[in-house]
Amino acid sequence: MAKWGHGDPRWIVEEREDGTNVNNWHWTERDATSWSKGKLRELLVGIVVESEAGRCEIGELKQVEGEASCSSRKGKLIFFYEWNIKLGWKGTTKESSAKHKGVIEIPNLSEENEVDDTEVNVSKKKGDGDILKDLMKTAGIAKVREALGEYLKALKTGKEGILVNQSILSLVTQVMLGFSEFTTGMILPTKAVATQELTVKRKLSENTLQASSPVALGVRIPTVAVHMTELFDTTVDQLYSIFTVKDLVQKFSKSSAVLEAEKGGKFQMFDGNITGEYIELLTNRKIIMKWRCRNWPEEHYATVALSFVPTLGQTELQLDCTGVPVCKEENMRSCWQKQHFEEIKGLLQLTTLSG
């Protein structure tokens, strides 16, 4: 056994109190799949190209299959991604105003190929409109490749143009620079680079002072909006009560809850996994809440609006949620669909049977 102070420096643990991944030697990995799906949708859907021939727009992400991850080994970040993407596009010719639809396929976006070498195929449904297909095969593909490049920049740095050695940065500084949530902390700082980190912080401070407009304090978290609708076989007032009466909340959630159903009142559901505050309550019409899940970034809340719309013999619940962290979008949808909508329907069936 080597004497204290004479061992391999890669295994020196006294530099970190917790001894975690000292000098970034061990392999660590984080999943970037969910975040990537949201980012690809954000960058690709909505792309528009126009010419004298007409106008085309990518309006749908039909398929995104694959995975992405970020790994750290020996102080270096390694990115793996492999995607099979299918997009739906539609266009209108200027001469005849005829409408046409088609598909863009990206069968293999991966780290094995540069974006410019990635295969991008454009097809169109049968009939006229080849002029629009040609537009998508030129200007459309160019914009798609540009969007894919933006995705890879965001994946690897979290912020365009910032390519730095993360090992010289503290976790706070990494967040300030805008590293994406799954790369932040992948490479941990050591004592030997404290001076370098101070230099980086000073440059950040100088850049902030030179900015022409005020910069908001805090960390900007990439977010998305979620919209869902669901029909319930019940009256508006009964459905409204299920979200505002403690006993009913505990019944459909099958867990303890704390509710103060008034403006400014706090709530906790699912044994404290969901917390928030009521912003506005319009009886039998609308509920607006600050809403967060326990595993979200600290102090980050989404805004959830529930609208209760009476229909023939049923009530339509409209869910509009803004400020959902991109990486939590799928979890958010699943939470509302399975833990709220489906459980509430089960409760309503039991109520009907017992009645």
Side-chain angles (χ1 to χ4, degrees), residues 21-279:
N21 201 11
V22 180
N23 290 325
N24 306 292
W25 183 253
H26 302 294
W27 181 280
T28 58
E29 181 175 306
R30 290 185 188 171
D31 182 32
T33 301
S34 180
W35 176 89
S36 291
K37 289 181 178 180
K39 193 66 177 177
L40 287 166
R41 180 184 292 106
E42 174 190 330
L43 292 170
L44 292 168
V45 176
I47 287 178
V48 175
V49 290
E50 290 188 73
S51 71
E52 294 180 355
R55 180 182 187 276
C56 296
E57 178 179 355
I58 295 176
E60 181 183 3
L61 181 61
K62 289 178 170 288
Q63 172 185 301
V64 54
E65 295 180 346
E67 59 181 327
S69 63
C70 170
S71 304
S72 171
R73 178 74 167 101
K74 299 181 183 179
K76 295 180 181 179
L77 288 176
I78 304 166
F79 296 90
F80 169 83
Y81 52 94
E82 187 173 13
W83 295 106
N84 180 359
I85 302 168
K86 185 180 291 185
L87 304 160
W89 65 270
K90 56 186 177 181
T92 307
T93 58
K94 283 191 176 179
E95 185 175 342
S96 63
S97 297
K99 298 183 184 296
H100 300 277
K101 293 182 179 181
V103 173
I104 295 176
E105 294 184 85
I106 308 166
N108 184 30
L109 173 65
S110 72
E111 74 281 354
E112 296 178 357
N113 301 306
E114 298 293 331
V115 171
D116 290 341
D117 298 326
T118 299
E119 182 180 356
V120 182
N121 301 315
V122 177
S123 61
K124 183 188 68 64
K125 290 187 176 181
K126 293 181 179 180
D128 298 330
D130 286 340
I131 193 169
L132 294 179
K133 178 181 176 181
D134 293 338
L135 176 61
M136 289 302 293
K137 290 179 71 173
T138 53
I141 285 181
K143 284 204 171 185
V144 166
R145 291 190 192 279
E146 182 181 336
L148 296 177
E150 293 300 316
Y151 157 68
L152 295 181
K153 284 183 182 179
L155 173 69
K156 296 177 180 180
T157 66
K159 187 174 182 180
E160 295 178 22
I162 296 179
L163 297 172
V164 299
N165 181 357
Q166 278 182 270
S167 64
I168 71 171
L169 307 175
S170 72
L171 304 188
V172 172
T173 308
Q174 289 179 35
V175 172
M176 289 172 65
L177 281 171
F179 287 99
S180 42
E181 53 91 18
F182 48 84
T183 60
T184 301
M186 287 294 291
I187 295 181
L188 302 173
T190 62
K191 288 182 179 179
V193 296
T195 303
Q196 291 173 285
E197 181 186 353
L198 182 59
T199 302
V200 172
K201 285 184 176 178
R202 284 174 178 168
K203 289 183 179 180
L204 283 170
S205 179
E206 290 171 3
N207 291 338
T208 302
L209 291 173
Q210 292 172 1
S212 58
S213 58
V215 179
L217 298 176
V219 178
R220 184 178 181 276
I221 298 172
T223 62
V224 293
V226 171
H227 175 75
M228 301 174 69
T229 60
E230 193 77 14
L231 283 172
F232 294 88
D233 295 324
T234 188
T235 60
V236 167
D237 58 331
Q238 186 173 13
L239 186 59
Y240 182 89
S241 297
I242 288 177
F243 286 94
T244 54
V245 176
K246 178 180 176 180
D247 289 343
L248 295 176
V249 169
Q250 292 185 149
K251 284 182 179 179
F252 87 75
S253 66
K254 299 181 177 68
S255 59
S256 62
V258 177
L259 267 77
E260 300 171 4
E262 59 186 24
K263 186 174 181 178
K266 311 291 188 197
F267 64 83
Q268 291 184 16
M269 299 169 58
F270 298 99
D271 294 323
N273 284 300
I274 303 299
T275 57
E277 178 182 329
Y278 291 103
I279 298 174

Side-chain angles (χ1 to χ4, degrees), residues 283-299:
T283 305
N284 298 337
R285 291 167 52 200
K286 196 165 194 174
I287 300 173
I288 302 178
M289 305 171 280
K290 285 174 58 180
W291 193 100
R292 64 171 273 108
C293 190
R294 179 179 285 171
N295 62 1
W296 284 14
E298 189 174 355
E299 297 301 321

